[in-house]
Amino acid sequence: MKRLVWCVLALLAGCSTVRGSGDLGVVIERASGSVQVVEHSGETRLGRVEGLGDLSHASVVFSRDGRYAFVFGRDGGLSKVDLLERKLVRRVLQAGNSIGGAISSDGRIVAAQNYQPGGVRLFDTDTLSPLADIPARDEQGTPSKVVGLADLPGNRFAFSLFDAGEIWLVDASQPQAPKVKKFQNIGRQPYDALGSYNGRYYIAGLYGEDGLALLDTWAPESGVRRILAGYGRGEQKLPVYKMPHLRGWALAGNRAFLPAIGRHEVLVADGTNWQEVGRVKVHGQPVFAMAEPSGRRVWVNFAFPHNDTVQVIDVPTLTVAATLKPGRGILHMEFTPKGDAVWLSSRDDNKVVVVDTATLTVRRELAAVSPSGIFFSWRGSRMGM
Amino acid sequence: MKRVLEVLRLLMETAVLVGASLMFVSEAFGEELSAIRQAELRYLVRQDCGACHGLTLQGGLGSPLTAAALAGKDDDGLVATILQGRPGSAMPPWQAYINGAEAQWIVDWLRAGGQP
């Protein structure tokens, strides 16, 4: 009874009871510049944090304690959101046009990648005060859009230059004086990239040619090499109405699942020698190919006009095991830490759909305004996320 | 596409007044696009073109589509870009989903500020 009274008093005072942060997450509401704070134990919405600016194409990284979400907005805004107190802690407008970011292995540096002006900026995670600026210019001094920023062990980052076709490896162990190693001629128009779970490989997808560029960061001196080159086999490309995303990629068992560009296929490569081992025909241009945490299945969503569909690939047989129509405009998917459920955002139906991965049935639907990305706090303890 | 249309139709039914004023806008642009189709195109441009050009059309992987950015570029070129895309760049062709009059309407609307 006494306890109850205290709880009520605590609630009245506006403080929440003590809770952990391991089951928290955010849902980006792209049109309204807000995020919903959610928890996936009870599958509920905890509240909304507003005033984050233009969140189209926003992405999120987490502090390692899972308490803070760093939200990168299209308008160049970098916002630090406290998930426990559900409030905006700090916000800086750090560039004209931003697309995403990463957090360093020691958790102290948050890096933002920008289109305009193209480059990467480093900030202190506590205060969001600027540490360093790395403008992305090619040899001739021409600015380039930056894509595919990923964190690597040892406070390093890697990113790609869309216009210049380069990969830059940054050592930020001295955050105010980062050292940059440049790899040139890595392929035409890298559009996004990923860092592998163990932080060893950095792989950039190429828009301007069939193939991907791979950097083995254990042996940077051997340079960047092309993998899955010529996967289009010289055939006419299908139009790409949305660029695939590579972060959150699928390494299932020893196989990597990568979206093809201009082909309705998911490419499968061996994760040690990077040779193609197969491809899976799918329903449309894949956007995300994400493995369940167990690695047993890979979930794929699609670009316009096929974005009402999600397919589930069975990894051992490389076949499509299920085709789901969970809602219209499915933009993103996020697994719970051990993969019992996957949360899907349905932009055009203004909802988040929670699907049970064992039964492939809908467990719950939550209302959200034009939701895009869904990000859970477990990302804070993983490399490449 | 049809599905998008359905949502928009629902939206429109609850906003007859808005619909009426859209008719007026459509006449102003001299095109015979229905209010529903206009609303659908506005949604498409902001959301799906916005995937590359930004939800507020300020640019991203694709160039900005603001009135200022398009000033001085002729209609025919822009309409052709929308319909046929730009080979060698990431701009895809939209003619399977958008016809010439609709592409022209989009250009007019972008020049007028592209408000939702």
Side-chain angles (χ1 to χ4, degrees), chain B residues 24-100:
Chain B
F24 172 73
V25 176
S26 130
E27 275 165 32
F29 284 138
E31 289 300 342
E32 299 293 319
L33 300 188
S34 67
I36 289 170
R37 184 61 182 153
Q38 291 183 30
E40 184 182 336
L41 288 175
R42 277 198 299 274
Y43 190 82
L44 176 86
V45 174
R46 292 187 73 88
Q47 301 291 336
D48 292 299
C49 311
C52 289
H53 292 282
L55 191 68
T56 55
L57 308 174
Q58 302 286 331
L61 198 64
S63 41
L65 298 181
T66 52
L70 299 184
K73 300 189 178 159
D74 69 289
D75 279 15
D76 291 352
L78 295 172
V79 167
T81 298
I82 295 173
L83 295 178
Q84 286 143 38
R86 265 199 205 149
S89 87
M91 174 65 186
W94 289 86
Q95 56 200 359
Y97 309 99
I98 294 171
N99 68 29

Side-chain angles (χ1 to χ4, degrees), chain A residues 291-355:
Chain A
E292 288 179 6
S294 67
R296 173 65 205 265
R297 293 183 296 187
V298 170
W299 291 58
V300 186
N301 74 333
F302 302 101
F304 172 94
H306 300 110
N307 55 13
D308 64 343
T309 302
V310 168
Q311 288 189 312
V312 187
I313 296 173
D314 180 58
V315 168
T317 60
L318 297 187
T319 54
V320 173
T323 299
L324 313 179
K325 303 259 183 202
R328 291 168 302 175
I330 301 291
L331 295 190
H332 198 219
M333 312 179 280
E334 182 81 334
F335 293 101
T336 55
K338 294 188 183 178
D340 66 304
V342 60
W343 289 41
L344 308 167
S345 55
S346 168
R347 177 193 72 196
D348 300 338
D349 284 336
N350 293 309
K351 65 181 183 184
V352 168
V353 185
V354 183
V355 174

Side-chain angles (χ1 to χ4, degrees), chain A residues 75-301:
Chain A
D75 56 4
L78 166 57
S79 307
K80 180 174 179 178
V81 174
D82 182 338
L83 301 181
L84 293 178
E85 304 220 340
R86 294 192 288 284
K87 66 176 194 215
L88 179 60
V89 181
R90 212 157 265 129
R91 176 172 158 79
V92 291
L93 267 181
Q94 55 88 29
N97 196 322
S98 169
I99 171 136
I103 202 156
S104 62
S105 51
D106 71 358
R108 290 170 192 270
I109 310 167
V110 56
Q113 61 177 336
N114 300 317
Y115 277 161
Q116 188 61 49
V120 166
R121 288 193 170 153
L122 307 183
F123 300 88
D124 181 292
T125 38
D126 284 336
T127 59
L128 296 193
S129 53
L131 295 169
D133 189 7
I134 308 168
R137 293 178 180 277
D138 65 13
E139 295 279 81
Q140 284 72 45
T142 314
S144 193
K145 299 184 193 81
V146 167
V147 298
L149 175 64
D151 59 290
L152 299 170
N155 271 8
R156 287 174 307 160
F157 296 99
F159 57 87
S160 300
L161 278 59
F162 176 80
D163 309 276
E166 299 184 6
I167 289 176
W168 289 13
L169 188 59
V170 177
D171 179 347
S173 47
Q174 287 178 298
Q176 280 163 322
K179 289 201 262 317
V180 180
K181 183 169 167 54
K182 301 176 185 176
F183 299 88
Q184 280 148 350
N185 302 315
I186 60 100
R188 282 182 18 233
Q189 295 172 319
Y191 63 88
D192 195 19
L194 59 90
S196 61
Y197 296 131
N198 59 3
R200 174 171 181 179
Y201 296 109
Y202 177 79
I203 303 176
L206 302 174
Y207 180 81
E209 57 191 279
D210 293 339
L212 297 97
L214 176 129
L215 174 66
D216 179 352
T217 67
W218 289 9
E221 62 286 351
S222 41
V224 173
R225 68 182 154 114
R226 197 65 46 83
I227 59 168
L228 304 180
Y231 65 74
R233 301 172 177 142
E235 290 164 26
Q236 180 73 35
K237 266 194 191 180
L238 299 168
V240 177
Y241 292 104
K242 184 176 179 158
M243 288 292 179
H245 286 262
L246 297 179
R247 182 183 286 198
W249 70 314
L251 184 64
N254 202 22
R255 290 162 164 184
F257 289 73
L258 300 156
I261 281 269
R263 299 180 70 87
H264 295 177
E265 289 174 345
V266 172
L267 309 171
V268 189
D270 180 296
T272 43
N273 63 18
W274 301 99
Q275 297 297 310
E276 179 176 329
V277 292
R279 38 180 89 189
V280 185
K281 279 213 166 354
V282 289
H283 180 67
Q285 167 67 53
V287 175
F288 283 100
M290 290 179 155
E292 288 179 6
S294 67
R296 173 65 205 265
R297 293 183 296 187
V298 170
W299 291 58
V300 186
N301 74 333

